Amino acid sequence: MYQNENNFNLIFKHLQKLPKNKKRHLISIVGTPGSGKSTFSNELLKYLAKKDYKCEVIAMDGFHLDNRILESKNLLSRKGSYETFDINGFLSLIKRLQKEGNILAPLFNREQDISIAAAVEIKNDLDFIIIEGNYLLLNRPTWCKLKEYWDLSIMLDVDIKEIEKRLLKRWLYYGYTKDEALKKIKSNDILNSKEIIENSLKADIVIKN
């Protein structure tokens, strides 16, 4: 796996070059569904904590549109595509993180398939905020504005066949039958993965699995 010491050491070298006079720095962790963004982000948080830095992780998934809204837009089957997120709300949060103190952010509960408001507290004294999500470098209207706020962007590069294996394991875990899981992967997850691979802006660091 890519969450090894060498990768984190490389990231740390980049972080040390960032301006020292900034209140706190934003690190984006980008990748396809199943690329391991959450695991990587939490391991990076632990690594930086050992270096005596205060950090927090925020997931873009907290800005999923509610299923009722997706149903009204005929987008429920495409949940997870970039059209199914509140990009304006997410961009507003990112802007606030640059200049405000204690901030509350939403969290997505996968078991309940719902976003929970004000579930993560971003305290004033943090050194780094790690933000993980599929579309943090997406070159689409409004989404492309996010890149200017990243002090360091990291793309997790995983082979598409490996992604399919991980996603199958994920959806089986959440109670889907194998046929249901394969249909979901083919009709949604892989389409979203291709969108990320083909239409993302260049990251500062690319880490291959």
Side-chain angles (χ1 to χ4, degrees):
M1 294 293 288
Y2 37 59
Q3 55 260 33
N4 60 55
E5 197 76 6
N6 290 334
N7 288 328
F8 292 141
N9 288 338
L10 172 63
I11 292 169
F12 187 64
K13 287 181 181 179
H14 280 262
L15 294 177
Q16 288 181 305
K17 298 176 184 177
L18 296 177
K20 306 298 182 183
N21 60 345
K22 193 172 182 181
K23 180 177 178 62
R24 51 194 175 194
H25 294 93
L26 306 185
I27 306 169
S28 65
I29 308 297
V30 189
T32 63
S35 59
K37 298 180 296 298
S38 298
T39 300
F40 188 91
S41 297
N42 285 303
E43 289 300 318
L44 177 58
L45 183 147
K46 293 176 185 177
Y47 174 92
L48 292 174
K50 291 179 182 178
K51 301 286 187 181
D52 294 323
Y53 288 104
K54 294 182 179 180
C55 311
E56 185 59 83
V57 175
I58 298 176
M60 187 195 79
D61 283 357
F63 287 85
H64 271 293
L65 295 179
D66 188 80
N67 286 350
R68 291 168 297 179
I69 295 176
L70 295 178
E71 286 178 350
S72 71
K73 295 178 179 293
N74 199 29
L75 283 172
L76 187 57
S77 65
R78 294 288 284 119
K79 187 171 185 174
S81 64
Y82 71 89
E83 304 98 327
T84 64
F85 288 89
D86 175 16
I87 176 54
N88 290 308
F90 182 60
L91 180 58
S92 177
L93 172 69
I94 298 305
K95 291 177 180 179
R96 292 179 63 203
L97 291 175
Q98 293 250 309
K99 57 187 178 182
E100 295 184 24
N102 296 336
I103 298 172
L104 295 173
L107 175 71
F108 185 70
N109 185 302
R110 194 175 294 278
E111 286 82 3
Q112 297 179 21
D113 196 31
I114 192 171
S115 295
I116 302 173
V120 180
E121 184 178 13
I122 308 302
K123 296 185 178 180
N124 189 50
D125 61 348
L126 296 178
D127 300 298
F128 298 105
I129 301 174
I130 302 167
I131 301 148
E132 60 106 338
N134 296 339
Y135 304 112
L136 304 183
L137 290 173
L138 189 64
N139 192 18
R140 295 281 187 183
T142 308
W143 289 95
C144 62
K145 296 178 182 179
L146 291 169
K147 185 175 172 59
E148 65 182 276
Y149 296 98
W150 310 141
D151 295 292
L152 183 67
S153 57
I154 302 163
M155 173 69 78
L156 305 183
D157 184 2
V158 184
D159 181 78
I160 197 72
K161 293 298 182 183
E162 175 63 23
I163 290 298
E164 291 177 3
K165 292 178 183 178
R166 295 182 189 179
L167 290 171
L168 177 59
K169 184 177 180 180
R170 171 190 290 179
W171 297 127
L172 291 176
Y173 173 82
Y174 284 108
Y176 287 78
T177 66
K178 186 175 182 179
D179 286 343
E180 289 171 339
L182 289 172
K183 181 180 179 181
K184 184 176 179 66
I185 292 167
K186 183 178 180 180
S187 65
N188 193 32
D189 292 327
I190 294 303
L191 296 179
N192 296 336
S193 296
K194 289 181 178 178
E195 175 72 31
I196 296 160
I197 293 168
E198 295 172 4
N199 293 314
S200 286
L201 299 165
K202 185 178 180 181
D204 298 314
I205 299 175
V206 177
I207 296 178
K208 292 183 178 291
N209 185 1

